[in-house]
Amino acid sequence: MGRRDFGAAAVVAVVMALTAALVAWTHHLPLRDPDGASLPTWFRLPVIVASAVLLDVLARWALVVRRNRTFIGTSVRSVLVERWNRDQIWFTLTGLVTWYVAYVAFRNLKSFVPFVTDRIADPELARIDRVLWLGHDPAVLLHDVLGTSWANWVMAAVYLIWIGLVPASLAIALVWTRRSAYGAWYVTAVSVDWCLGVVLYYVLPSLGPTYSRPEWFASLPRTPNSEVRDMLLTDRIKVLAGPWDTGAVQTIAAFASLHVAVMLTICLTVTVMRLPLTIRVASWTFLALTCVATVYLGWHFFVDVLAGFVVGAAAFVIAARATGNPLRRRHEPWTFRAALDVSAPAPEADPLAGHR
C-alpha cells in the first residue's frame, strides 16, 4: 500500500479542520481541545495504542517461545524490531494523526452549531417518529415494553461502553492489522462518519428527546447515563452563555446518530474481514442494542437511528473507494493464529495487496 494509506483520510481531516477554522473565524468562536477538561484524547488515544503495541509484541513473542520451546535466542526486542519496522510505525502514526485531526474538527464544528443557526428540528423529527411508529412515541413505548428498572441500566451500560469502543477499535485497526488495507479502510471510514455526521448536524439541528421531551424520561432511575446527560446540558449552557469564558465544548446534536453510524461501520468491517463468528455476532448484537439504547434513553429519535444507518453505510463505501478496496469479503477467514504469526511475510497477511 505504501505511504498513501491515509491519503483520503488526510483530505477529510484537512477539509474539516479548515472548515472548523473558517466557522470559528466568521462567528468569532474559539477552537478548543474537545477533551481538555478531562483526559485529552491526544494523550488518551496514544496510550491506548501503545498498550495495544505492547500486547501485540508480547503475544507474538509468547507464540515464538512456545514454538521454539526455549527462551534462548528469542527476545522481546527481536520480535519488536521484526514487527515494528519503519513502514508499520509510519502506518500507525499517520492513521492516528489523520483521525485525531478529523475528530477535533468534528467536535468543534458540532459545538458551533447553535451559533450558526437557531433552528431546532425536534418537533418535525418527533412527528416523523410517531408516523413511523403508528402514532406512538418510540421511547415511551420502549419504556412500557421493557420497563424502567433493569432495562434502564442495561441500556445505559450499552451506550457508555460505546465511548471506549471507538478508541479501542482504532488501536486494533492501526496496530494489529500490520499495515493492512482493512486498517486504512476502517480508520478512513470513521473519519468520513464524522464528516457526514457533522454536515447533517447543520442541515437538521436537533437536541434529541432527552432534552426536548424530558417528561418522557422522568420515570427513569438515575444511572451514569443521567450524569452524562446533565453534564452535556451544563456544558451547552456554559458555551451559549459565553464561548470565550469556558473551556467546554457544546456536544448536543441528535440527527444523525453517529453511535449507530460508527457501530455499523465496525460491523461491516468485521464482516468483510471475515473475523471469527463470535466477533461478528457480538458486533451485530451490540449494534442492535445500541439502536434500542439510543432511543430508549432519549439521546436520539428513531429517525436519527435510520439516518445513522445511511451515514455508516455511505462512509464504509466511500472509504472503500477512496482507499482502493473492493467491496467484497476476503477469500480466507481471518484467524488469530495467522495474525500472530511473526514468521509470515507482511504482504501475504493482506489479501487485498494484489488489488492495489
Side-chain angles (χ1 to χ4, degrees), residues 96-180:
L96 196 62
V97 170
T98 54
W99 180 87
Y100 180 68
V101 171
Y103 168 77
V104 171
F106 162 77
R107 291 288 302 277
N108 277 277
L109 285 168
K110 188 177 185 180
S111 185
F112 299 158
V113 171
F115 295 97
V116 176
T117 176
D118 57 2
R119 180 191 175 195
I120 298 294
D122 289 64
E124 295 95 318
L125 297 175
R127 282 196 292 270
I128 295 173
D129 268 11
R130 282 192 289 273
V131 170
L132 294 175
W133 285 63
L134 303 178
H136 298 281
D137 294 309
V140 176
L141 184 59
L142 287 176
H143 297 165
D144 292 339
V145 172
L146 300 177
T148 57
S149 56
W150 65 268
N152 181 42
W153 283 93
V154 171
M155 295 301 108
V158 168
Y159 202 78
L160 296 177
I161 286 172
W162 184 94
I163 297 174
L165 181 64
V166 173
S169 68
L170 287 167
I172 292 171
L174 294 173
V175 172
W176 292 347
T177 56
R178 194 161 193 173
R179 224 184 89 237
S180 161

Side-chain angles (χ1 to χ4, degrees), residues 16 87 314:
M16 292 182 69
D87 285 343

Side-chain angles (χ1 to χ4, degrees), residues 32-321:
R32 299 292 190 195
D33 176 356
D35 300 302
S38 56
L39 190 62
T41 303
W42 62 261
F43 174 80
R44 184 173 67 248
L45 190 57
V47 168
I48 293 174
V49 171
S51 300
V53 170
L54 179 61
L55 181 61
D56 174 73
V57 171
L58 290 178
R60 294 169 192 279
W61 172 78
L63 183 62
V64 171
V65 169
R66 180 181 177 184
R67 285 177 175 175
N68 297 340
R69 298 183 181 278
T70 177
F71 287 89
I72 300 176
T74 302
S75 67
V76 173
R77 183 178 180 278
S78 64
V79 176
L80 178 65
V81 171
E82 188 279 336
R83 168 66 175 166
W84 287 90
N85 55 35
R86 183 172 59 183
D87 285 343
Q88 180 65 35
I89 294 173
W90 178 259
F91 174 84
T92 300
L93 289 179
T94 53
L96 196 62
V97 170
T98 54
W99 180 87
Y100 180 68
V101 171
Y103 168 77
V104 171
F106 162 77
R107 291 288 302 277
N108 277 277
L109 285 168
K110 188 177 185 180
S111 185
F112 299 158
V113 171
F115 295 97
V116 176
T117 176
D118 57 2
R119 180 191 175 195
I120 298 294
D122 289 64
E124 295 95 318
L125 297 175
R127 282 196 292 270
I128 295 173
D129 268 11
R130 282 192 289 273
V131 170
L132 294 175
W133 285 63
L134 303 178
H136 298 281
D137 294 309
V140 176
L141 184 59
L142 287 176
H143 297 165
D144 292 339
V145 172
L146 300 177
T148 57
S149 56
W150 65 268
N152 181 42
W153 283 93
V154 171
M155 295 301 108
V158 168
Y159 202 78
L160 296 177
I161 286 172
W162 184 94
I163 297 174
L165 181 64
V166 173
S169 68
L170 287 167
I172 292 171
L174 294 173
V175 172
W176 292 347
T177 56
R178 194 161 193 173
R179 224 184 89 237
S180 161
Y182 295 113
W185 185 355
Y186 172 68
V187 174
T188 301
V190 173
S191 295
V192 176
D193 277 322
W194 300 141
C195 184
L196 296 178
V198 81
V199 169
L200 291 178
Y201 290 160
Y202 284 84
V203 172
L204 281 176
S206 65
L207 303 175
T210 193
Y211 298 114
S212 59
R213 298 288 191 278
E215 65 276 10
W216 293 353
F217 310 94
S219 64
L220 295 181
R222 291 191 67 82
T223 65
N225 175 79
S226 310
E227 303 299 327
V228 174
R229 178 197 62 203
D230 295 345
M231 180 186 68
L232 297 187
L233 181 58
T234 299
D235 287 345
R236 179 181 174 91
I237 293 172
K238 288 179 180 178
V239 171
L240 293 181
W244 291 94
D245 300 326
T246 177
V249 293
Q250 190 288 129
T251 57
I252 296 176
F255 186 88
S257 171
L258 292 193
H259 271 65
V260 171
V262 174
M263 197 60 226
L264 177 63
T265 298
I266 292 174
C267 290
L268 293 173
T269 301
V270 301
T271 300
V272 167
M273 287 185 66
R274 296 186 67 183
L275 293 187
L277 181 61
T278 52
I279 295 179
R280 283 178 278 155
V281 171
S283 298
W284 286 100
T285 300
F286 194 80
L287 171 61
L289 290 172
T290 298
C291 293
V292 176
T294 197
V295 176
Y296 180 98
L297 298 172
W299 290 109
H300 297 283
F301 294 98
F302 178 70
V303 70
D304 301 341
V305 172
L306 299 181
F309 274 97
V310 174
V311 170
F316 184 76
V317 173
I318 291 170
R321 300 304 184 195

